[in-house]
Amino acid sequence: MSHVRSAPAGKSGGGGGSTPAKRGRPFGSTTGSGAAAAAAAAAIGDAAAPAALVGPSLQVLTALSDQNNKRIVLALQSGLKSEILWALNALTVLSFKEKDDLRRDTTPLAKVPGLLDALLQVIDDWRDIAMPKDHTKPPRVRTLGVNTTLSGFGHENVEKVYSDTIIPSDDQTKTADSTVTKKRSAGFLFDEEGLFNVDDEGRTEKQQCAVAASNIIRNFTFMPENETVMVQHRHCLETVFQCLEDQNTEDDELITNMLETLVNLAPVLDLRIFSSSKPSFIKITEKRAVQAIMGMLASSIRVWHCAAAELIGRLIINPDNEPFLLPAIPQIYKRLVDLLSVPAVDAQAASISALYNVAEVNMDFRLKLASERWAVDRLLKVVKTPHPVPEVCRKASMIVESLVSEPQNRMHLLVHENTFAEILTSEGKYSDTFARILYELTARPSNKVTSGQAIWGNIN
């Protein structure tokens, strides 16, 4: 099936006072988007929409969603292939959003009654069959009424219904005709207007529908008015985290969409929802949710571990989430520092963003980071190289400054005093920060005695 796929954009920082930028960017600024949007609009049946509205900057009429809300939900719930494909194409257009586009003229789709549940059902239908074939139930043998003319199961009428040829007595001809009959019956039952097949082709189609649904759910998170509904929808969050748990067996694009959905919702996400009184479908707990995130952080796939690092940085700034992340702080620390040594600039940016937020809220993390000389060296290397994004260098400098603010860290950081002075003299952008760092190291009362004794000793 075909659906509009949003293209990823650059990574954004997880800290700061402003609202974090959303991950990913809907597919609207390339030449291929106009044709895809036009095809989707035609599928919706909006014949009145002029061609001028479909282009590099896509606009969606408000009446498009108002007139089709109930129909879209019913189509998703129908289980019919053609109806589901139509609904997914329509929702892909309606959930489209240009970067920094407020879309004031559109209806918050997550607030349409039953729409989010219907999309989750499409994903659940795929996940229910996304298991090894060895674990599927074998067909049950039906023996009731086999010796009667009419068994009640309709098997005796298969040839009469689906075959209009007289079967010859020759065995070879029987085999050929039997094959033709099977193909005709399959086509009769599972054509485009019918249900999904139960063979490999049907599994593939369900998988594609699930990926399209996950892409739409991710697009929902681009609209701020959808956030509150989605973070309070326990079934939605449970489905997202369960997909992350199955990263080794699930579709790559589905995992990426679900992970970016979480990153976009993270600033307003409260993990305590998994212990609330809201009805649960999958029994995800706060501990399982954190373990799923840690699994993504440990992944070797760059897009996944960068997104997981950004997710951790956004989650931990909520004090209600901190108790659930504290047990994983040692693993988070080690992995984030490891990412600093990765040559990819986006991995370094994601790591610095997460380190900045975690160091701001957790003192033990600051003590651990300062005690590891190699970890501080990697932070300073990001500033000295420097990183192509100035904001990343600024945050790395501020991380070092937060480490110096702890009295227990000063002895560890005095080892880097020459490096601090070198950056101070060679890098004008961050001279103020490293001036404060050197002042903290050398001018505090705890260091004055040692420095003073050394000076007087040399004079004497």
Side-chain angles (χ1 to χ4, degrees):
M1 63 163 285
S2 61
H3 59 276
V4 181
R5 171 72 177 126
S6 301
K11 307 296 180 285
S12 59
S18 60
T19 302
K22 302 294 188 181
R23 283 185 64 87
R25 186 172 188 276
F27 188 43
S29 57
T30 57
T31 56
S33 63
I44 298 172
D46 187 17
L53 292 181
V54 181
S57 182
L58 181 64
Q59 301 178 31
V60 181
L61 298 176
T62 308
L64 195 64
S65 60
D66 294 340
Q67 295 172 0
N68 292 278
N69 281 342
K70 185 177 294 186
R71 181 186 171 192
I72 289 174
V73 174
L74 293 175
L76 291 172
Q77 295 172 344
S78 68
L80 299 176
K81 187 187 304 185
S82 59
E83 291 294 317
I84 292 178
L85 295 181
W86 171 84
L88 291 175
N89 283 332
L91 286 172
T92 302
V93 174
L94 292 174
S95 65
F96 178 93
K97 176 185 176 297
E98 284 280 7
K99 190 176 182 181
D100 301 327
D101 179 14
L102 298 180
R103 292 289 300 277
R104 295 187 180 92
D105 61 333
T106 60
T107 304
L109 296 178
K111 295 183 180 179
V112 177
L115 179 55
L116 192 53
D117 289 311
L119 283 170
L120 293 172
Q121 184 60 47
V122 174
I123 299 176
D124 291 341
D125 287 344
W126 154 244
R127 292 186 54 79
D128 288 343
I129 64 172
M131 62 179 65
K133 292 183 179 180
D134 297 338
H135 294 84
T136 58
K137 280 188 175 183
R140 180 179 299 178
V141 179
R142 302 290 190 180
T143 59
L144 180 62
V146 291
N147 296 324
T148 63
T149 306
L150 296 176
S151 64
F153 293 104
H155 298 304
E156 64 281 346
N157 293 319
V158 170
E159 298 299 331
K160 297 179 181 178
V161 174
Y162 302 124
S163 177
D164 55 359
T165 60
I166 300 176
I167 300 178
S169 58
D170 183 69
D171 293 338
Q172 186 175 0
T173 310
K174 280 185 178 180
T175 304
D177 285 348
S178 177
T179 305
V180 174
T181 301
K182 278 187 176 181
K183 290 182 179 178
R184 294 186 60 184
S185 62
F188 178 80
L189 289 175
F190 304 112
D191 57 7
E192 283 296 323
E193 300 301 324
L195 303 173
F196 289 91
N197 208 337
V198 293
D199 58 5
D200 289 340
E201 182 181 354
R203 289 167 57 89
T204 302
E205 291 172 344
K206 277 186 173 290
Q207 180 180 3
Q208 291 173 341
C209 288
V211 171
S214 68
N215 187 51
I216 293 166
I217 291 175
R218 188 203 65 160
N219 288 352
F220 279 173
T221 62
F222 294 138
M223 305 179 191
E225 57 268 25
N226 291 335
E227 291 178 346
T228 303
V229 175
M230 298 182 73
V231 296
Q232 295 178 357
H233 198 290
R234 186 169 180 175
H235 184 198
C236 177
L237 297 177
E238 287 179 335
T239 301
V240 169
F241 277 106
Q242 191 185 43
C243 289
L244 299 189
E245 285 183 329
D246 298 336
Q247 59 163 307
N248 295 325
T249 57
E250 192 52 88
D251 180 86
D252 291 351
E253 191 175 1
L254 178 63
I255 296 295
T256 304
N257 285 335
M258 290 304 192
L259 185 56
E260 292 186 353
T261 296
L262 272 183
V263 174
N264 290 343
L265 294 176
V268 291
L269 177 59
D270 188 348
L271 294 177
R272 294 179 300 173
I273 189 174
F274 297 121
S275 57
S276 66
S277 59
K278 293 180 179 292
S280 174
F281 295 85
I282 308 175
K283 304 299 182 184
I284 293 287
T285 62
E286 294 91 342
K287 183 177 180 180
R288 281 183 62 184
V290 173
Q291 288 174 345
I293 297 172
M294 294 304 299
M296 300 304 298
L297 183 63
S299 171
S300 60
I301 301 177
R302 190 174 70 185
V303 175
W304 290 357
H305 61 236
C306 288
E310 192 171 351
L311 174 59
I312 291 172
R314 294 184 178 190
L315 281 177
I316 202 166
I317 59 178
N318 184 348
D320 296 325
N321 293 330
E322 188 176 353
F324 307 116
L325 292 169
L326 282 179
I329 285 295
Q331 293 87 354
I332 293 175
Y333 158 78
K334 185 178 184 303
R335 181 57 174 161
L336 291 181
V337 176
D338 286 343
L339 291 180
L340 288 178
S341 62
V342 177
V345 294
D346 52 350
Q348 294 177 0
S351 176
I352 290 293
S353 177
L355 285 170
Y356 176 81
N357 284 351
V358 179
E360 282 291 314
V361 301
N362 189 267
M363 185 182 71
D364 293 336
F365 189 88
R366 293 194 294 270
L367 298 178
K368 177 66 175 175
L369 184 59
S371 65
E372 301 281 2
R373 182 172 180 176
W374 57 276
V376 179
D377 284 337
R378 291 183 182 179
L379 278 173
L380 296 175
K381 185 179 179 180
V382 172
V383 181
K384 291 172 62 179
T385 303
H387 193 279
V389 181
E391 179 67 12
V392 175
C393 297
R394 185 186 71 84
K395 284 190 175 182
S397 304
M398 295 180 69
I399 292 173
V400 178
E401 185 177 8
S402 69
L403 300 182
V404 178
S405 64
E406 298 293 338
Q408 302 95 312
N409 290 339
R410 289 173 191 153
M411 294 305 297
H412 297 297
L413 295 175
L414 277 173
V415 179
H416 307 278
E417 187 174 4
N418 291 336
T419 307
F420 296 156
E422 179 185 348
I423 297 176
L424 174 63
T425 57
S426 62
E427 193 63 51
K429 292 181 181 179
Y430 315 107
S431 57
D432 292 343
T433 302
F434 281 92
R436 291 193 298 268
I437 291 173
L438 287 172
Y439 173 79
E440 290 284 342
L441 285 177
T442 58
R444 286 291 183 179
S446 60
N447 294 322
K448 277 184 177 179
V449 177
T450 304
S451 302
Q453 288 175 347
I455 294 173
W456 282 110
N458 292 333
I459 294 177
N460 293 334

